[in-house]
Amino acid sequence: MKTISRYIMTLALLLTAVGGAWAQYEFSSDPYTSTTEFNSVSVTSSMTLTINKGVIVTVNSGLTIEDGVTLTLTGGGRLSVYGKTGAWGRDAYYEEGNRIVEATAGGDGNPAIILNGNAKIVLDNGEIYAEGGLGGIGGTDATAGINKPDGAAGNAFSRFPTIDGATLYYKSSNEWFKYTSGDKTLYREMKAVPATFEVTLNDPKTEASFEMPTYDVTVNYELVRDMSVQMTATMGDGTDGLRYRVKKSEQNPGKYEPADMDMMQVLTLVAVNDGIEQKALTLNQDYFCRIYKLDEQTLQPEGDGVKLFDFDFAPGLYALKAFAMDGSNYDGETALSNTFVLFEGYELEIAAGEYATYYKDEALYVEDEDAKLYTITTVGNETATATELTVAAANTPLLVKNNAAEAKTILLIPTTNATPDDVTPYEGFKGTLEATQIAASTATQNNYALNGKEFVWVMDAIDIAANRAWLEVPATTTNSRALTIVFDDVTGLTTANIAKAMNGDWYDLNGRKLQAAPTKKGVYILNGKKVVVK
């Protein structure tokens, strides 16, 4: 019985609140010169509502215009109308015999403005703002016994009528978008402002025309260019598939940032050009941009896009659009720009403790502590000697090793800034940028493909993917069926600690004696051992 009493009391409170909302008010025919607020208003006879400029008249629980009635807004002020919030759903509760009454759904919010029959609103001067009512909260489930489910929340609702003499807009993602068809269920926030005159441009784009208003006044017209007509937005040089490298942000974990440029340099990559007037538009004066992530199969946007300064620079395929700035000499938006790609590097999936080959026409390095880069520098009877690289020069056939105890995706990072190691790969270590075949071994030449752990002899021609490498070795060097990977006996020294190295004579790899310890990065011979100067 305690539960029933609480329910009855709550219901009584709801009835009291609803009853108070039914009180109706009429607008005054006198001008409003200061802020005024109504609970709800029903206009039953035609009238002019005058709201002085800078003044707001608010209607909190809906504005109704009766059949055949015209409400005209003038004065330059603002009429703000808020729809009534939907009723809360009833909670589940117990009745005699332990019967449980289920929780009910909340009611939908009401439209802000309702025109009955042939009712009409005319906007002579000023602005109308409308926000539909929120949906009511659903009732909650039973608190004891067998629970019944919560009632669903009601829907937020807004319907904006056609308003004579107005241009309509709806709000989405904190921006206003033009909307002209009227009387549709849309976003909750809408507004009507005095109409601008629509200009029609002929197909050759040589003549513009518009219909003069029917008022006996002198009007000054300002030509506003439609951005959808011969205006293009581009990223970089406009080439589809243009690539920009990104890296994980140190300041914002989970986010990315441009790897090779700062934000101001990114801004200079964006350009919008007017093909009719043959001029470039100005960012943040004439236009702003939104960036869209694209589905890589359909090339269609996956969402509403984000402004450039809110962009997270996550790897993926993108395009952008330009939108006219408020108050500029432009209107509308461009088509999507060329596509561009943001990427961290090239991914290689490698099993635990194994190798993969790689070949690319870019200098590469790794930042993963479990990964090492090598190239084959010599081949013996049963071995292929691998020399470690810090930065691999472009077009260097590579061995990439995963030293982790589990399979891992290794990221190869391209660079244009770092100086590649001065290491010459074995001349028979070959690479390809496109899918190809490793030829069958012959009587004079043995070809070897990597199986993850060693190079194995190729009896018949086999296919190999793009960006991979293999070995071609004269039969006079080896006829082995497998080549074990061994490591060059190289000691690494930095230029900073060469002076601390043991005394001795330095030679280059061609056997020529140096006059002093080397200062240039590369591989040298000191006391009979190879040394990498980093």
Side-chain angles (χ1 to χ4, degrees):
M1 291 301 294
K2 183 177 180 181
T3 303
I4 296 174
S5 298
R6 182 166 60 240
Y7 169 74
I8 293 173
M9 180 174 65
T10 302
L11 180 61
L13 290 172
L14 286 173
L15 289 173
T16 300
V18 171
W22 284 105
Q24 301 294 323
Y25 297 87
E26 290 281 350
F27 290 130
S28 170
S29 58
D30 295 331
Y32 287 90
T33 59
S34 61
T35 299
T36 306
E37 189 169 339
F38 294 95
N39 188 24
S40 64
V41 172
S42 178
V43 180
T44 58
S45 58
S46 297
M47 66 170 296
T48 296
L49 173 62
T50 303
I51 304 173
N52 286 0
K53 187 174 182 180
V55 175
I56 300 175
V57 172
T58 301
V59 180
N60 285 317
S61 294
L63 170 63
T64 302
I65 314 295
E66 299 298 345
D67 186 14
V69 172
T70 297
L71 174 66
T72 301
L73 179 65
T74 191
R78 176 172 174 175
L79 174 63
S80 294
V81 186
Y82 299 88
K84 182 180 173 183
T85 299
W88 285 21
R90 182 183 62 197
D91 295 345
Y93 68 97
Y94 289 93
E95 289 185 349
E96 294 299 331
N98 290 331
R99 186 172 78 87
I100 300 176
V101 177
E102 294 191 37
T104 59
D108 288 344
N110 288 351
I113 301 173
I114 298 174
L115 301 185
N116 290 324
N118 294 318
K120 184 166 68 171
I121 295 178
V122 176
L123 183 59
D124 176 61
N125 193 6
E127 177 180 302
I128 299 175
Y129 171 86
E131 184 174 328
L134 287 168
I137 299 172
T140 59
D141 64 12
T143 57
I146 301 173
N147 284 352
K148 290 290 183 177
D150 289 342
N155 293 318
F157 190 71
S158 184
R159 185 180 292 276
F160 210 35
T162 298
I163 297 178
D164 289 1
T167 300
L168 308 183
Y169 295 87
Y170 67 90
K171 193 174 188 181
S172 173
S173 303
N174 296 319
E175 294 182 37
W176 290 98
F177 294 90
K178 189 174 180 181
Y179 174 72
T180 56
S181 52
D183 199 26
K184 293 284 187 180
T185 301
L186 289 170
Y187 294 85
R188 290 181 57 243
E189 294 185 66
M190 306 182 190
K191 68 180 179 181
V193 299
T196 55
F197 301 111
E198 300 291 338
V199 178
T200 301
L201 195 66
N202 65 358
D203 284 338
K205 301 179 179 61
T206 56
E207 295 182 1
S209 62
F210 54 86
E211 184 178 351
M212 288 291 293
T214 57
Y215 307 111
D216 186 17
V217 293
T218 299
V219 181
N220 293 320
Y221 294 96
E222 180 182 4
L223 180 62
V224 176
R225 288 276 285 110
D226 184 349
M227 294 188 73
S228 67
V229 179
Q230 289 199 10
M231 287 200 189
T232 56
T234 56
M235 186 69 173
D237 63 6
T239 303
D240 276 324
L242 201 64
R243 295 186 315 158
Y244 299 99
R245 195 171 73 82
V246 295
K247 63 183 180 181
K248 292 180 179 178
S249 174
E250 296 180 0
Q251 290 76 22
N252 300 297
K255 301 289 186 180
Y256 293 83
E257 60 188 26
D260 303 316
M261 64 186 82
D262 58 29
M263 183 56 72
M264 294 308 298
Q265 290 173 305
V266 173
L267 291 176
T268 63
L269 297 174
V270 179
V272 178
N273 186 68
D274 185 334
I276 293 179
E277 298 184 19
Q278 295 298 312
K279 69 175 184 178
L281 274 61
T282 303
L283 180 64
N284 295 329
Q285 175 180 311
D286 300 319
Y287 72 93
F288 67 91
C289 283
R290 297 185 74 85
I291 297 178
Y292 297 81
K293 184 172 176 55
L294 304 182
D295 180 280
E296 295 192 12
Q297 299 299 319
T298 65
L299 300 184
Q300 295 302 306
E302 293 183 344
D304 294 332
V306 296
K307 286 187 175 181
L308 187 58
F309 283 102
D310 296 325
F311 186 46
D312 61 7
F313 289 93
L317 180 67
Y318 296 91
L320 57 82
K321 279 186 180 182
F323 295 82
M325 289 288 292
D326 289 343
S328 73
N329 294 326
Y330 300 91
D331 187 34
E333 62 192 58
T334 67
L336 283 170
S337 74
N338 57 297
T339 62
F340 59 95
V341 179
L342 302 184
F343 80 118
E344 282 190 273
Y346 306 106
E347 295 182 348
L348 271 182
E349 182 70 25
I350 307 177
E354 294 192 1
Y355 301 86
T357 63
Y358 199 75
Y359 183 80
K360 191 67 179 172
D361 54 355
E362 296 174 272
L364 301 171
Y365 70 98
V366 293
E367 292 181 342
D368 193 323
E369 62 183 10
D370 291 325
K372 294 288 186 182
L373 292 184
Y374 302 91
T375 190
I376 299 299
T377 50
T378 60
V379 173
N381 184 38
E382 295 183 347
T383 61
T385 302
T387 299
E388 184 178 348
L389 302 175
T390 304
V391 179
N395 301 303
T396 298
L398 297 174
L399 280 180
V400 185
K401 187 178 183 184
N402 173 19
N403 289 315
E406 58 186 6
K408 193 170 185 180
T409 299
I410 305 300
L411 192 68
L412 301 178
I413 302 173
T415 178
T416 57
N417 300 322
T419 301
D421 294 345
D422 186 12
V423 176
T424 302
Y426 174 66
E427 62 182 0
F429 196 20
K430 305 293 185 179
T432 180
L433 295 174
E434 299 178 352
T436 186
Q437 280 191 334
I438 302 177
S441 297
T442 66
T444 58
Q445 177 176 291
N446 292 304
N447 296 331
Y448 296 86
L450 184 71
N451 70 356
K453 297 182 178 179
E454 60 184 358
F455 285 96
V456 294
W457 185 69
V458 176
M459 181 174 68
D460 298 318
I462 60 173
D463 293 331
I464 188 170
N467 306 114
R468 293 295 185 266
W470 68 96
L471 279 170
E472 296 178 355
V473 186
T476 54
T477 300
T478 179
N479 283 306
S480 176
R481 290 298 183 264
L483 298 176
T484 301
I485 298 171
V486 297
F487 299 101
D488 205 351
D489 182 15
V490 174
T491 301
L493 294 177
T494 64
T495 54
N497 63 20
I498 284 178
K500 299 178 182 179
M502 57 191 301
N503 293 328
D505 294 328
W506 290 84
Y507 297 84
D508 65 18
L509 291 180
N510 293 318
R512 293 172 297 195
K513 186 176 179 180
L514 305 183
Q515 297 300 316
T519 58
K520 182 180 178 182
K521 294 179 181 179
V523 180
Y524 301 86
I525 296 175
L526 173 66
N527 296 328
K529 292 186 178 182
K530 289 183 180 178
V531 176
V532 175
V533 176
K534 300 181 178 179

